[in-house]
Amino acid sequence: MSDETTPRDDKQFMRNYKTNSPDILAAYANFSKTVFADDEARAVPAKYRELMAVAVGIARQCEYCIESHTRSAQRAGATEEEIAEAVWVASAVGAGSAYTHGRLAFKHVH
């Protein structure tokens, strides 16, 4: 990650994973590497997997995910237009979620 969204002092805490749970860190790293491998033999090409990750990062409001997966999407060939559409997909799903969950408030009106 660059220092654009990752404060320098945040990076120092990453070593806590390596020190305290190296086996889990290794398993996660392997899992993530496998999911995002540049393997076009998969059903979903890498560019689209990265665009999905951008949308999920936005929906989850994870600055680190947004930064890293946007860069990875660009490296995989995604255009700014495709990234913009991924952002709009995340926005629409977020708005839809708020709208549909808002109905639950009416359970408590009376």
XYZ file of all heavy atoms in Angstrom:
851
model
N 0.829 -1.178 0.000
C 0.000 0.000 0.000
C 0.873 1.239 0.000
O 1.931 1.245 0.587
C -0.854 0.070 1.243
C -1.680 -1.087 1.509
S -3.376 -0.841 1.524
C -3.697 -2.574 1.634
N 0.347 2.248 -0.588
C 1.071 3.510 -0.572
C 0.722 4.278 0.688
O -0.135 3.880 1.458
C 0.696 4.335 -1.806
O -0.580 4.916 -1.625
N 1.376 5.398 0.850
C 1.086 6.231 2.008
C -0.093 7.151 1.746
O -0.406 7.992 2.572
C 2.324 7.052 2.387
C 3.411 6.160 2.948
O 3.056 5.163 3.593
O 4.586 6.464 2.739
N -0.762 7.008 0.598
C -1.913 7.855 0.303
C -3.012 7.659 1.333
O -3.588 8.607 1.826
C -2.447 7.556 -1.099
C -1.516 8.017 -2.204
C -2.052 7.656 -3.551
O -3.276 7.697 -3.765
O -1.236 7.331 -4.430
N -3.354 6.428 1.640
C -4.407 6.174 2.622
C -3.906 5.402 3.837
O -4.605 5.308 4.822
C -5.576 5.386 2.001
O -5.082 4.147 1.504
C -6.249 6.170 0.895
N -2.729 4.835 3.756
C -2.198 4.048 4.849
C -1.239 4.900 5.669
O -0.123 5.163 5.241
C -1.435 2.815 4.322
O -2.261 2.112 3.415
C -1.043 1.902 5.470
N -1.665 5.355 6.843
C -0.737 6.118 7.679
C 0.503 5.281 7.991
O 0.402 4.069 8.206
C -1.534 6.403 8.947
C -2.962 6.270 8.535
C -2.965 5.210 7.458
N 1.646 5.912 7.994
C 2.903 5.194 8.228
C 2.871 4.371 9.515
O 3.358 3.251 9.547
C 4.070 6.164 8.270
C 4.417 6.744 6.945
C 5.689 7.603 7.070
N 5.914 8.357 5.863
C 6.562 7.895 4.807
N 7.040 6.685 4.825
N 6.722 8.635 3.734
N 2.310 4.927 10.564
C 2.335 4.198 11.836
C 1.388 3.005 11.840
O 1.538 2.106 12.648
C 2.085 5.126 13.022
C 0.736 5.825 12.978
O 0.103 5.868 11.911
O 0.325 6.340 14.030
N 0.424 2.947 10.937
C -0.452 1.772 10.850
C 0.318 0.536 10.395
O 0.029 -0.573 10.832
C -1.597 2.000 9.860
C -2.702 2.848 10.428
O -2.569 3.333 11.567
O -3.707 3.038 9.718
N 1.269 0.720 9.519
C 1.997 -0.415 8.943
C 2.762 -1.204 9.996
O 2.926 -2.408 9.861
C 2.937 0.065 7.849
C 2.204 0.564 6.633
C 3.170 1.015 5.568
C 2.414 1.549 4.378
N 3.318 1.981 3.321
N 3.207 -0.532 11.052
C 3.989 -1.220 12.080
C 3.190 -2.317 12.776
O 3.748 -3.287 13.268
C 4.519 -0.220 13.099
C 3.432 0.376 13.988
C 3.965 1.336 15.011
O 5.007 1.074 15.614
N 3.268 2.437 15.212
N 1.873 -2.180 12.792
C 1.046 -3.148 13.500
C 0.809 -4.431 12.711
O 0.346 -5.422 13.266
C -0.276 -2.505 13.914
C -0.077 -1.330 14.829
C -0.318 -0.041 14.380
C 0.380 -1.509 16.126
C -0.123 1.046 15.216
C 0.592 -0.428 16.970
C 0.341 0.852 16.517
N 1.118 -4.408 11.434
C 0.951 -5.611 10.623
C 1.835 -6.752 11.133
O 1.471 -7.906 11.029
C 1.276 -5.319 9.155
C 0.297 -4.366 8.503
S -1.400 -4.969 8.511
C -1.272 -6.268 7.309
N 2.982 -6.416 11.700
C 3.875 -7.472 12.178
C 3.288 -8.233 13.358
O 3.725 -9.335 13.672
C 5.253 -6.929 12.467
C 5.353 -6.035 13.667
C 6.724 -5.449 13.770
N 6.545 -4.057 13.375
C 7.335 -3.085 13.709
N 8.424 -3.336 14.354
N 7.076 -1.855 13.367
N 2.266 -7.654 14.020
C 1.620 -8.380 15.124
C 1.001 -9.681 14.628
O 1.002 -10.678 15.349
C 0.554 -7.509 15.783
C 1.162 -6.385 16.595
O 2.279 -6.506 17.092
N 0.448 -5.295 16.717
N 0.470 -9.663 13.415
C -0.081 -10.903 12.856
C 1.019 -11.943 12.689
O 0.846 -13.109 13.025
C -0.724 -10.651 11.491
C -1.970 -9.816 11.538
C -2.045 -8.626 10.807
C -3.080 -10.212 12.259
C -3.202 -7.858 10.816
C -4.233 -9.446 12.279
C -4.288 -8.278 11.550
O -5.424 -7.522 11.560
N 2.139 -11.502 12.147
C 3.248 -12.425 11.901
C 3.810 -12.976 13.204
O 4.163 -14.155 13.291
C 4.343 -11.718 11.103
C 5.407 -12.645 10.596
C 6.350 -11.925 9.655
C 7.318 -12.910 9.055
N 8.186 -12.283 8.063
N 3.851 -12.145 14.221
C 4.384 -12.561 15.518
C 3.413 -13.453 16.281
O 3.804 -14.474 16.851
C 4.708 -11.319 16.385
O 5.655 -10.523 15.693
C 5.247 -11.719 17.742
N 2.136 -13.094 16.291
C 1.164 -13.753 17.159
C 0.356 -14.863 16.512
O -0.178 -15.713 17.221
C 0.218 -12.706 17.749
C 0.957 -11.744 18.645
O 1.616 -12.175 19.584
N 0.880 -10.463 18.354
N 0.234 -14.840 15.203
C -0.568 -15.878 14.533
C -0.043 -16.116 13.123
O -0.775 -15.960 12.145
C -2.039 -15.470 14.504
O -2.183 -14.165 13.952
N 1.219 -16.515 13.002
C 1.821 -16.665 11.678
C 1.142 -17.718 10.807
O 1.070 -17.564 9.590
C 3.268 -17.039 11.981
C 3.238 -17.631 13.355
C 2.134 -16.890 14.066
N 0.605 -18.759 11.414
C -0.060 -19.802 10.638
C -1.345 -19.284 9.990
O -1.631 -19.574 8.828
C -0.350 -21.026 11.505
C -1.187 -20.700 12.740
O -1.095 -19.558 13.269
O -1.936 -21.594 13.194
N -2.091 -18.491 10.746
C -3.332 -17.931 10.204
C -3.015 -16.894 9.143
O -3.665 -16.838 8.092
C -4.204 -17.336 11.324
C -4.597 -18.439 12.314
C -5.437 -16.656 10.752
C -5.264 -17.929 13.577
N -1.997 -16.072 9.387
C -1.572 -15.083 8.395
C -1.171 -15.773 7.097
O -1.576 -15.336 6.015
C -0.408 -14.246 8.937
C 0.209 -13.244 7.957
C -0.821 -12.204 7.515
C 1.420 -12.578 8.585
N -0.419 -16.829 7.191
C 0.007 -17.556 5.991
C -1.188 -18.154 5.256
O -1.253 -18.100 4.019
C 1.008 -18.652 6.364
N -2.126 -18.704 6.005
C -3.319 -19.282 5.369
C -4.138 -18.203 4.674
O -4.608 -18.398 3.547
C -4.174 -19.999 6.419
N -4.301 -17.046 5.333
C -5.033 -15.944 4.710
C -4.311 -15.451 3.457
O -4.939 -15.231 2.418
C -5.235 -14.775 5.676
C -5.787 -13.582 4.961
C -7.125 -13.545 4.577
C -4.968 -12.531 4.586
C -7.633 -12.470 3.867
C -5.462 -11.460 3.868
C -6.793 -11.429 3.513
O -7.287 -10.380 2.790
N -3.004 -15.274 3.553
C -2.232 -14.789 2.410
C -2.355 -15.755 1.236
O -2.523 -15.324 0.083
C -0.772 -14.587 2.806
N -2.300 -17.046 1.507
C -2.437 -18.044 0.444
C -3.839 -18.012 -0.158
O -4.009 -18.090 -1.375
C -2.103 -19.439 0.976
C -2.053 -20.459 -0.139
O -1.387 -20.259 -1.140
N -2.767 -21.560 0.053
N -4.848 -17.904 0.700
C -6.240 -17.818 0.240
C -6.425 -16.608 -0.678
O -6.946 -16.715 -1.790
C -7.172 -17.740 1.443
C -8.599 -17.447 1.108
C -9.375 -18.366 0.405
C -9.186 -16.251 1.495
C -10.710 -18.103 0.099
C -10.506 -15.982 1.195
C -11.268 -16.903 0.497
N -5.978 -15.449 -0.211
C -6.133 -14.222 -0.990
C -5.363 -14.306 -2.305
O -5.867 -13.915 -3.369
C -5.647 -13.017 -0.170
O -5.915 -11.822 -0.852
N -4.153 -14.849 -2.251
C -3.341 -15.008 -3.466
C -4.059 -15.907 -4.473
O -4.064 -15.635 -5.671
C -1.981 -15.598 -3.095
C -1.051 -15.788 -4.259
C 0.272 -16.373 -3.783
C 1.165 -16.679 -4.964
N 2.420 -17.299 -4.548
N -4.676 -16.962 -3.984
C -5.398 -17.881 -4.866
C -6.626 -17.213 -5.478
O -6.880 -17.336 -6.674
C -5.816 -19.146 -4.085
O -4.641 -19.766 -3.560
C -6.563 -20.121 -4.971
N -7.393 -16.489 -4.664
C -8.602 -15.817 -5.148
C -8.263 -14.793 -6.230
O -8.950 -14.702 -7.244
C -9.360 -15.136 -3.990
C -10.455 -14.208 -4.508
C -9.950 -16.188 -3.054
N -7.186 -14.043 -6.036
C -6.856 -12.960 -6.955
C -5.746 -13.305 -7.939
O -5.235 -12.418 -8.627
C -6.508 -11.688 -6.174
C -7.711 -11.121 -5.480
C -7.891 -11.273 -4.114
C -8.691 -10.462 -6.203
C -9.012 -10.764 -3.485
C -9.819 -9.957 -5.579
C -9.979 -10.112 -4.218
N -5.405 -14.581 -8.057
C -4.363 -14.991 -8.998
C -4.747 -14.565 -10.411
O -5.913 -14.634 -10.803
C -4.168 -16.503 -8.939
N -3.756 -14.140 -11.149
C -3.985 -13.718 -12.537
C -4.086 -14.966 -13.400
O -3.213 -15.259 -14.205
C -2.856 -12.802 -13.001
C -3.157 -12.162 -14.346
O -4.335 -12.179 -14.768
O -2.210 -11.653 -14.973
N -5.149 -15.704 -13.183
C -5.366 -16.966 -13.875
C -6.618 -16.838 -14.736
O -7.733 -17.008 -14.255
C -5.519 -18.085 -12.837
C -5.736 -19.449 -13.463
O -5.723 -19.560 -14.710
O -5.943 -20.408 -12.708
N -6.414 -16.544 -15.983
C -7.560 -16.324 -16.879
C -8.313 -17.615 -17.196
O -9.327 -17.585 -17.875
C -7.109 -15.620 -18.163
C -6.592 -14.213 -17.927
C -7.602 -13.274 -17.252
O -8.813 -13.376 -17.520
O -7.165 -12.445 -16.443
N -7.834 -18.748 -16.686
C -8.556 -19.997 -16.871
C -9.758 -20.076 -15.927
O -10.609 -20.945 -16.075
C -7.628 -21.186 -16.642
N -9.826 -19.172 -14.963
C -10.960 -19.151 -14.042
C -12.207 -18.666 -14.774
O -12.126 -18.012 -15.799
C -10.668 -18.239 -12.859
C -9.570 -18.757 -11.962
C -9.592 -17.989 -10.655
N -8.651 -18.531 -9.714
C -8.870 -19.602 -8.948
N -10.003 -20.232 -9.001
N -7.949 -20.023 -8.118
N -13.350 -18.942 -14.215
C -14.615 -18.530 -14.831
C -14.746 -17.015 -14.888
O -15.297 -16.468 -15.843
C -15.799 -19.135 -14.070
N -14.251 -16.326 -13.878
C -14.312 -14.862 -13.835
C -12.889 -14.331 -14.018
O -12.020 -14.601 -13.181
C -14.914 -14.366 -12.496
C -14.928 -12.851 -12.442
C -16.324 -14.925 -12.301
N -12.646 -13.575 -15.077
C -11.303 -13.041 -15.315
C -10.840 -12.125 -14.177
O -11.654 -11.518 -13.468
C -11.459 -12.248 -16.611
C -12.652 -12.847 -17.289
C -13.563 -13.265 -16.165
N -9.526 -12.011 -14.029
C -8.916 -11.236 -12.943
C -9.445 -9.806 -12.902
O -9.712 -9.277 -11.822
C -7.395 -11.240 -13.087
N -9.612 -9.168 -14.054
C -10.084 -7.787 -14.065
C -11.440 -7.669 -13.382
O -11.668 -6.759 -12.587
C -10.183 -7.273 -15.506
C -10.745 -5.866 -15.601
C -10.691 -5.304 -17.008
C -11.862 -5.729 -17.824
N -11.962 -4.958 -19.098
N -12.327 -8.596 -13.645
C -13.666 -8.527 -13.054
C -13.658 -8.890 -11.577
O -14.422 -8.335 -10.789
C -14.649 -9.382 -13.853
C -14.759 -8.874 -15.261
C -14.339 -9.646 -16.335
C -15.227 -7.586 -15.526
C -14.410 -9.162 -17.630
C -15.292 -7.095 -16.812
C -14.881 -7.886 -17.858
O -14.936 -7.396 -19.145
N -12.771 -9.816 -11.196
C -12.641 -10.125 -9.768
C -12.146 -8.889 -9.012
O -12.622 -8.590 -7.920
C -11.701 -11.308 -9.543
C -12.363 -12.642 -9.890
C -11.447 -13.821 -9.647
N -10.678 -14.029 -10.873
C -9.395 -14.314 -10.919
N -8.694 -14.465 -9.814
N -8.792 -14.483 -12.072
N -11.210 -8.164 -9.609
C -10.696 -6.952 -8.973
C -11.761 -5.852 -8.938
O -11.868 -5.126 -7.948
C -9.429 -6.457 -9.677
C -8.229 -7.353 -9.465
C -7.751 -7.443 -8.024
O -8.157 -6.634 -7.171
O -6.937 -8.346 -7.740
N -12.561 -5.731 -9.989
C -13.646 -4.741 -9.973
C -14.679 -5.089 -8.899
O -15.206 -4.191 -8.226
C -14.300 -4.624 -11.351
C -13.463 -3.905 -12.404
C -14.056 -4.117 -13.791
C -13.339 -2.422 -12.085
N -14.952 -6.376 -8.719
C -15.844 -6.784 -7.638
C -15.244 -6.398 -6.292
O -15.948 -5.911 -5.400
C -16.106 -8.293 -7.671
C -17.037 -8.720 -8.782
S -17.475 -10.467 -8.644
C -16.154 -11.221 -9.569
N -13.934 -6.585 -6.153
C -13.264 -6.247 -4.900
C -13.299 -4.738 -4.644
O -13.442 -4.308 -3.497
C -11.824 -6.754 -4.920
N -13.197 -3.946 -5.710
C -13.323 -2.493 -5.547
C -14.712 -2.165 -4.998
O -14.855 -1.412 -4.034
C -13.079 -1.746 -6.883
C -13.455 -0.269 -6.764
C -11.629 -1.892 -7.326
N -15.740 -2.748 -5.601
C -17.113 -2.484 -5.163
C -17.327 -2.935 -3.722
O -17.940 -2.214 -2.919
C -18.112 -3.161 -6.101
N -16.821 -4.096 -3.365
C -16.969 -4.582 -1.993
C -16.190 -3.680 -1.031
O -16.683 -3.341 0.054
C -16.512 -6.049 -1.858
C -16.452 -6.480 -0.401
C -17.445 -6.965 -2.650
N -14.997 -3.264 -1.421
C -14.216 -2.354 -0.588
C -14.956 -1.063 -0.315
O -14.951 -0.536 0.804
N -15.630 -0.545 -1.342
C -16.416 0.675 -1.176
C -17.610 0.399 -0.270
O -17.881 1.151 0.662
C -16.843 1.230 -2.543
C -15.607 1.764 -3.267
C -17.912 2.310 -2.405
C -15.808 2.025 -4.725
N -18.299 -0.697 -0.524
C -19.467 -1.031 0.291
C -19.079 -1.239 1.756
O -19.826 -0.857 2.663
C -20.151 -2.280 -0.261
N -17.918 -1.823 1.987
C -17.447 -2.077 3.358
C -16.687 -0.887 3.921
O -16.265 -0.908 5.067
C -16.551 -3.322 3.394
C -17.209 -4.596 2.895
C -18.279 -5.104 3.794
N -17.709 -5.387 5.106
C -18.407 -5.764 6.161
N -19.699 -5.911 6.068
N -17.814 -6.005 7.307
N -16.467 0.127 3.101
C -15.757 1.355 3.487
C -14.351 1.065 3.997
O -13.914 1.598 5.016
C -16.571 2.151 4.504
C -17.914 2.572 3.955
C -18.764 3.320 4.951
O -18.442 3.410 6.138
N -19.868 3.871 4.486
N -13.637 0.224 3.257
C -12.265 -0.130 3.602
C -11.309 0.624 2.675
O -11.156 0.253 1.506
C -12.040 -1.630 3.483
S -10.325 -2.105 3.828
N -10.690 1.661 3.192
C -9.774 2.471 2.380
C -8.627 1.641 1.816
O -8.200 1.859 0.683
C -9.196 3.620 3.202
C -10.231 4.645 3.597
C -9.631 5.775 4.422
O -8.422 6.049 4.301
O -10.394 6.367 5.208
N -8.128 0.704 2.603
C -7.012 -0.116 2.161
C -7.420 -0.996 0.982
O -6.680 -1.129 0.014
C -6.490 -0.981 3.315
C -6.158 -0.192 4.557
C -6.841 -0.419 5.744
C -5.172 0.783 4.545
C -6.532 0.300 6.889
C -4.860 1.512 5.683
C -5.549 1.260 6.851
O -5.250 1.977 7.976
N -8.607 -1.594 1.067
C -9.106 -2.436 -0.029
C -9.365 -1.612 -1.280
O -9.032 -2.040 -2.388
C -10.400 -3.137 0.389
S -10.199 -4.315 1.724
N -9.970 -0.450 -1.103
C -10.261 0.415 -2.251
C -8.964 0.748 -2.979
O -8.873 0.622 -4.210
C -10.991 1.695 -1.806
C -12.375 1.361 -1.250
C -11.098 2.691 -2.973
C -13.025 2.502 -0.471
N -7.959 1.146 -2.218
C -6.680 1.534 -2.830
C -6.027 0.357 -3.544
O -5.677 0.440 -4.723
C -5.737 2.093 -1.773
C -4.392 2.490 -2.338
C -3.431 3.017 -1.292
O -3.814 3.156 -0.112
O -2.285 3.286 -1.666
N -5.848 -0.745 -2.840
C -5.096 -1.853 -3.430
C -5.846 -2.507 -4.590
O -5.235 -2.838 -5.612
C -4.722 -2.885 -2.368
O -5.858 -3.538 -1.861
N -7.158 -2.682 -4.467
C -7.888 -3.360 -5.539
C -8.141 -2.454 -6.737
O -8.226 -2.941 -7.866
C -9.178 -3.977 -4.992
C -8.900 -5.152 -4.123
N -8.384 -6.337 -4.600
C -9.030 -5.313 -2.785
C -8.218 -7.189 -3.605
N -8.602 -6.580 -2.483
N -8.218 -1.141 -6.517
C -8.325 -0.238 -7.665
C -7.039 -0.314 -8.479
O -7.077 -0.413 -9.713
C -8.602 1.206 -7.208
O -9.860 1.241 -6.539
C -8.656 2.154 -8.406
N -5.913 -0.288 -7.808
C -4.629 -0.403 -8.521
C -4.509 -1.756 -9.225
O -4.055 -1.833 -10.358
C -3.476 -0.186 -7.554
C -3.393 1.245 -7.107
C -2.345 1.429 -6.037
N -2.451 2.775 -5.519
C -1.452 3.610 -5.438
N -0.261 3.247 -5.822
N -1.639 4.820 -4.953
N -4.933 -2.812 -8.543
C -4.879 -4.145 -9.156
C -5.829 -4.238 -10.344
O -5.504 -4.870 -11.351
C -5.210 -5.221 -8.124
O -4.209 -5.278 -7.130
N -6.997 -3.624 -10.222
C -7.944 -3.621 -11.348
C -7.342 -2.907 -12.548
O -7.458 -3.390 -13.688
C -9.261 -2.965 -10.928
N -6.689 -1.787 -12.310
C -6.040 -1.070 -13.412
C -4.949 -1.918 -14.044
O -4.851 -1.992 -15.272
C -5.459 0.252 -12.927
C -6.521 1.298 -12.651
C -5.914 2.595 -12.173
O -5.163 2.623 -11.204
N -6.251 3.662 -12.859
N -4.141 -2.580 -13.218
C -3.084 -3.453 -13.764
C -3.687 -4.594 -14.568
O -3.071 -5.079 -15.520
C -2.210 -4.003 -12.637
C -1.186 -3.014 -12.135
C -0.145 -3.684 -11.248
N -0.699 -4.307 -10.057
C -0.918 -3.687 -8.901
N -0.631 -2.402 -8.780
N -1.413 -4.331 -7.874
N -4.887 -5.029 -14.192
C -5.558 -6.122 -14.903
C -6.293 -5.615 -16.148
O -6.943 -6.401 -16.833
C -6.521 -6.844 -13.966
N -6.230 -4.308 -16.407
C -6.814 -3.769 -17.629
C -8.096 -2.990 -17.460
O -8.703 -2.576 -18.454
N -8.555 -2.775 -16.232
C -9.789 -2.021 -16.014
C -9.577 -0.551 -16.370
O -8.534 0.025 -16.075
C -10.247 -2.139 -14.563
N -10.577 0.021 -16.991
C -10.531 1.430 -17.355
C -11.157 2.263 -16.240
O -11.832 1.731 -15.350
C -11.322 1.680 -18.648
O -12.713 1.379 -18.393
C -10.808 0.810 -19.797
N -10.971 3.570 -16.320
C -11.611 4.453 -15.343
C -13.127 4.342 -15.449
O -13.826 4.417 -14.439
C -11.175 5.901 -15.559
C -9.798 6.183 -15.034
C -9.451 7.658 -15.052
O -10.351 8.498 -14.809
O -8.277 7.972 -15.309
N -13.635 4.154 -16.645
C -15.082 4.004 -16.833
C -15.583 2.749 -16.116
O -16.626 2.773 -15.448
C -15.419 3.938 -18.316
C -16.900 3.858 -18.594
C -17.222 3.833 -20.080
O -16.339 3.547 -20.906
O -18.394 4.103 -20.405
N -14.841 1.653 -16.211
C -15.240 0.420 -15.529
C -15.166 0.583 -14.012
O -16.041 0.093 -13.285
C -14.355 -0.745 -15.981
C -14.627 -1.160 -17.417
C -13.623 -2.149 -17.953
O -12.410 -1.998 -17.673
O -14.054 -3.083 -18.656
N -14.141 1.283 -13.536
C -14.030 1.535 -12.102
C -15.187 2.408 -11.630
O -15.792 2.159 -10.585
C -12.655 2.150 -11.759
C -11.571 1.093 -11.998
C -12.620 2.674 -10.328
C -10.154 1.627 -12.011
N -15.537 3.419 -12.435
C -16.681 4.273 -12.094
C -17.961 3.454 -11.985
O -18.755 3.641 -11.057
C -16.848 5.384 -13.130
N -18.155 2.522 -12.896
C -19.359 1.693 -12.839
C -19.343 0.773 -11.624
O -20.390 0.533 -11.016
C -19.536 0.928 -14.138
C -19.939 1.849 -15.275
C -20.331 1.128 -16.548
O -20.636 -0.083 -16.493
O -20.349 1.798 -17.596
N -18.171 0.286 -11.242
C -18.072 -0.527 -10.026
C -18.462 0.306 -8.810
O -19.152 -0.184 -7.906
C -16.661 -1.092 -9.872
N -18.032 1.565 -8.798
C -18.406 2.468 -7.705
C -19.918 2.652 -7.673
O -20.542 2.615 -6.607
C -17.689 3.835 -7.849
C -18.237 4.846 -6.864
C -16.186 3.662 -7.676
N -20.530 2.834 -8.843
C -21.983 3.017 -8.894
C -22.723 1.752 -8.473
O -23.779 1.821 -7.836
C -22.429 3.477 -10.278
C -22.098 4.919 -10.510
C -21.277 5.432 -11.475
C -22.570 6.041 -9.762
N -21.208 6.792 -11.358
C -21.989 7.207 -10.318
C -23.404 6.188 -8.658
C -22.235 8.482 -9.824
C -23.647 7.466 -8.163
C -23.073 8.584 -8.740
N -22.185 0.598 -8.819
C -22.806 -0.657 -8.368
C -22.793 -0.713 -6.845
O -23.819 -1.009 -6.215
C -22.088 -1.885 -8.974
C -22.519 -3.172 -8.281
C -22.369 -1.980 -10.472
N -21.651 -0.404 -6.234
C -21.568 -0.401 -4.772
C -22.542 0.609 -4.180
O -23.197 0.333 -3.173
C -20.142 -0.079 -4.322
N -22.656 1.760 -4.814
C -23.572 2.798 -4.333
C -25.024 2.351 -4.420
O -25.812 2.549 -3.490
C -23.384 4.089 -5.148
O -22.063 4.561 -5.025
N -25.379 1.736 -5.530
C -26.762 1.279 -5.720
C -27.119 0.171 -4.741
O -28.207 0.169 -4.154
C -26.965 0.801 -7.158
N -26.197 -0.764 -4.544
C -26.472 -1.853 -3.604
C -26.571 -1.299 -2.180
O -27.442 -1.698 -1.406
C -25.396 -2.952 -3.715
C -25.532 -3.976 -2.593
C -25.486 -3.635 -5.067
N -25.718 -0.348 -1.843
C -25.785 0.272 -0.516
C -27.083 1.017 -0.297
O -27.704 0.921 0.762
N -27.510 1.760 -1.317
C -28.777 2.491 -1.207
C -29.947 1.515 -1.117
O -30.871 1.710 -0.319
C -28.960 3.425 -2.396
N -29.891 0.472 -1.920
C -30.960 -0.529 -1.882
C -31.037 -1.219 -0.540
O -32.124 -1.472 -0.008
N -29.891 -1.489 0.033
C -29.857 -2.121 1.354
C -30.473 -1.213 2.406
O -31.263 -1.657 3.249
C -28.411 -2.467 1.719
O -28.333 -2.983 3.014
N -30.124 0.069 2.358
C -30.690 1.020 3.323
C -32.197 1.128 3.132
O -32.965 1.138 4.104
C -30.035 2.391 3.152
N -32.634 1.191 1.893
C -34.067 1.306 1.578
C -34.831 0.073 2.081
O -35.829 0.198 2.789
C -34.236 1.469 0.072
C -35.641 1.253 -0.416
C -36.649 2.173 -0.132
C -35.959 0.134 -1.170
C -37.939 1.972 -0.579
C -37.251 -0.070 -1.621
C -38.237 0.851 -1.316
O -39.515 0.650 -1.759
N -34.342 -1.101 1.750
C -35.079 -2.306 2.143
C -35.013 -2.555 3.644
O -36.001 -2.979 4.241
C -34.587 -3.553 1.377
O -33.193 -3.723 1.600
C -34.872 -3.421 -0.106
N -33.889 -2.271 4.266
C -33.812 -2.437 5.714
C -34.584 -1.357 6.443
O -35.005 -1.546 7.581
C -32.351 -2.484 6.179
C -31.744 -3.820 5.973
N -31.213 -4.207 4.767
C -31.603 -4.871 6.807
C -30.766 -5.445 4.869
N -30.995 -5.874 6.095
N -34.793 -0.234 5.782
C -35.604 0.830 6.366
C -37.022 0.384 6.651
O -37.680 0.884 7.579
N -37.484 -0.590 5.890
C -38.832 -1.126 6.133
C -38.962 -1.704 7.531
O -40.041 -1.721 8.112
C -39.170 -2.209 5.106
C -39.246 -1.698 3.684
C -39.560 -2.810 2.727
N -38.501 -3.830 2.798
C -38.505 -4.954 2.111
N -39.513 -5.237 1.306
N -37.530 -5.817 2.215
N -37.850 -2.180 8.073
C -37.890 -2.763 9.412
C -38.297 -1.739 10.456
O -38.862 -2.090 11.495
C -36.527 -3.364 9.766
C -36.048 -4.501 8.867
C -34.641 -4.925 9.266
C -36.999 -5.682 8.919
N -38.018 -0.464 10.196
C -38.412 0.588 11.143
C -39.913 0.623 11.327
O -40.401 0.919 12.425
C -37.911 1.957 10.671
N -40.647 0.301 10.278
C -42.110 0.364 10.374
C -42.679 -0.721 11.287
O -43.815 -0.604 11.735
C -42.727 0.299 8.980
C -42.389 1.526 8.167
C -41.484 1.458 7.130
C -42.966 2.770 8.492
C -41.159 2.604 6.407
C -42.645 3.896 7.775
C -41.740 3.825 6.729
N -41.904 -1.741 11.580
C -42.333 -2.744 12.556
C -42.495 -2.113 13.944
O -43.206 -2.627 14.784
C -41.319 -3.882 12.656
C -41.301 -4.820 11.480
C -40.309 -5.928 11.764
C -40.379 -7.010 10.733
N -39.445 -8.111 11.030
N -41.801 -1.022 14.155
C -41.776 -0.407 15.479
C -42.559 0.897 15.563
O -42.484 1.583 16.575
C -40.312 -0.155 15.880
C -39.474 -1.405 15.793
N -39.562 -2.422 16.702
C -38.564 -1.807 14.871
C -38.742 -3.398 16.365
N -38.119 -3.046 15.250
N -43.311 1.228 14.520
C -44.058 2.477 14.503
C -45.221 2.450 15.481
O -45.494 3.422 16.143
C -44.546 2.803 13.059
C -45.530 3.952 13.063
C -43.351 3.134 12.173
N -45.885 1.354 15.583
C -47.099 1.295 16.431
C -46.842 0.642 17.748
O -46.135 -0.152 18.043
C -48.233 0.547 15.705
C -48.608 1.238 14.448
N -49.286 2.420 14.425
C -48.361 0.926 13.153
C -49.460 2.800 13.179
N -48.903 1.914 12.387
